[in-house]
Amino acid sequence: MSRKIIKSKTYLYDEKIETIAEVPEKDLELLPLNKDLKIIGKKIPRVDAEEKVTGTAVYTFDKIFTNIAYGKTLRSPYPFAKIESIETSKAEKLKGVLKILTYKNAPDIRWYGDYSKLFDQTVRYEGDEVALIVAETQDIAEKAASLVDVKYKELDFVTDTIEAIKDDAPKIYKRSNIPEIRGHAHYSRGNFEDGIKSADIVLEREYSTQVAIQNPTEPHGSVVKWEDDQLIVWDSTQGVFSIRDIIAGSLNIPESKVRVIKEYMGGGFGAKLEAGKYSVMAAIASKEIKRPVKVILDREEMNLAVGNRPDSHQKIKAAAKKDGTLTAMSLINYGAMGAYPAGTGVHWPLRSLYKCDNVETNEYRVFTNTGRARPFRAPGHVQGTFALESILDDLAEKINMNPLDFRIKNFTPIDQDSKRPYTSKKLIEAYKAGAKAIKWESRKPAGSSGGIVKRGLGLASQIWWGGGFPPAYATVKMNRDGSVQVLCGTQDLGTGTYTFISQITAEVLEIPMDTIDVLIGDTQATPYAPSSGGSTTAPSVSPAVYDAALQIKEKLIASASAVLNIPKEELTYSNGKIFETKNESNSITNPKLIRKMRERVLIATGARNQNTDKYAINTFGVQFADVEVNTLTGKVKVNKIVAAHDIGRTLNRLTLENQFHGGIIMGLSFALMDERVIDEYTGKVLTTNYRDYKMPTIKETPEIEVIIVSENDPLVSATGVKGIGEPAIIPTPGAIANAVYNAIGVRINSLPITPDKILTALNSRG
Ligand code: MOS
């Protein structure tokens, strides 16, 4: 129960995140392995499943007040323009229009998201914010938006990344489109040229990946409401506390005056880590009209303005000896930030996944007149792994080595930068289990499959962080009747957070899950927990919940000792009851005990532990793909994906499989289907709805087999949990690309692998 303040380090990309946090004084007893537990690790249906399928779950979109008003954002139709004038009088005359905000009448403030202006007279991409119209109904707001008369002066624009780096390209900000500050990132270890010299085979290849849009089922949006000087924001967000701080900072009001609430969520893949300008604009309008305001983005806005996975243009050089030793790798990459600063790096898998002493990478971030990139499920790793795993397969082929043996040969048990061992790396076990499940031994040499429909097998590996970190807290309250409420400032993106919090509490206190209520995602009601990003929710939050539940159990036992007059050591806690170990009939139930105590609510707050500094904390895995390529139509059909991973403890087998299914289907989409397409002459996005923006349906969904080779990771925390949201997607496109090559013997170096690319490649080979 006693606490200490510590420094804890965690790593995410190039960022060493040092946190100062309150953690338990002593290490908690390790949670037993799943085989010795009753609830954790089992297939437990979501506790919120019924609300979701019956439609009673209230999402941001469903939030309603009698006097609510509706907002519509007017966005730039041009990729690059100066606003010469805005005339709103016609729109204001429309019956039901309540407020129109533009750069002319809105406060001139910086938005704390990317520090751009809330309203700017220059619009830098199609979809950049121009005005917010608030009206009695959504229809009126949209009608009014079309009546706002904006005179634009169109500017020369550039939407293509490679065009944007040319000297004569239009400049998004007066200077170079590769910014001087942090426009270039360099990494190296060893001596690349020496590595090349010592190799028997050197390959050089270029790869490109498309821009993909997160497109969660539930759109971005906010409902805002002022209660006196306090602003309440219901937002579809991955981080209630970070959203609170962005909104409070932008509005220049105390953080205590902003309450952010997130109840149910229909997905968030990284783009919802950040507040939207719409929340701040809605808050300003709401204050003026003294009514709650709802701004929910439509699908077109989702595809234009709230983020994307940036493209990549990668040039890789890789070298190996005949025995399979990787001797050198280098990477040059260009990726588009869009019109505002964003991360675009892809080098991490190449840097960290395999043993290689000589590595050099150079990456460039490029401004373009397109929507700004935002994190998207394993940012950079999906793109980087595709390219890395493609060239490794080519190398293996050149030295006549089985691609699986090639990867095993270059396995590393230590992190090559810090030289620390990993807390756990059961990747060899994963290779073996996965290879068996996909029948890897049946794999034929590339292109040797006969007939019109050719079959192939491929694999790709995965590394990610996802160990979680402090500070993260959870409070468990037990009432007089034994019912329990758990409070935690985390959020459930649809991943099952509500359920695993309930499971852990039920497991420790040995009470039914239906006596436990979980309240999360409310900055005013819950203790702090971090944003749900980087696959850190369960690894950060589960130890805090476990700690709080253990403390409640301790309190119950100590109190029972006082009530029963029996030393603690002679008492046993079991199934919500405490009894004398040698005389089970001398017992007291939790409700009776709490009544006797004359306390109405027992409370304990648990904390996430410090991270170890002696080990590197990562997740690992491999996916195998079994595909068919129709050489007449060019269509790829993925028959099966086997995913074998070391991701620590499984909290819930059902939600774990859900995560893998989602990640793999999303990875399949990136490999074969989804792509933001921009018309080069107008700079306009052509794929702004679910029909034009291609995503898989049940028809494209393959058979998926999930194998978990880890039982827990006790060096991470007492629950031994690591994240799985991102590991699930990372290797899928690389595995599919390698399987396609294995089927047809021609390599497609650019994603998505669409039928036209396959047919072109087959034709060029003759
Ligand atoms: Mo994720 S891209 O950290 O939501």
Side-chain angles (χ1 to χ4, degrees), residues 13 238 268-271 273 375-379 464 493 532-535 726:
Y13 301 103
Q238 293 175 236
F269 303 105
L273 285 164
F376 186 167
R377 205 170 191 167
W464 182 251
L493 317 185
S532 292
S535 303
E726 284 157 309

Side-chain angles (χ1 to χ4, degrees), residues 512-573:
M513 279 177 67
D514 63 12
T515 63
I516 299 165
D517 271 315
V518 179
L519 194 152
I520 62 175
D522 182 340
T523 55
Q524 214 82 328
T526 60
Y528 175 78
S531 296
S532 292
S535 303
T536 58
T537 304
S540 295
V541 163
S542 64
V545 175
Y546 178 57
D547 179 24
L550 283 177
Q551 287 181 48
I552 290 285
K553 192 164 129 180
E554 272 300 308
K555 280 190 199 212
L556 289 165
I557 295 170
S559 308
S561 163
V563 168
L564 298 174
N565 252 321
I566 300 169
K568 273 198 310 187
E569 301 68 39
E570 293 170 27
L571 291 174
T572 298
Y573 182 100

Side-chain angles (χ1 to χ4, degrees), residues 352 412-415 420-425 463 615-616 618 620:
S352 61
T412 171
I414 61 159
D415 173 70
R420 296 174 305 173
Y422 294 107
T423 54
S424 170
K425 186 175 180 179
I463 183 171
Y615 299 87
N618 292 83
F620 299 93

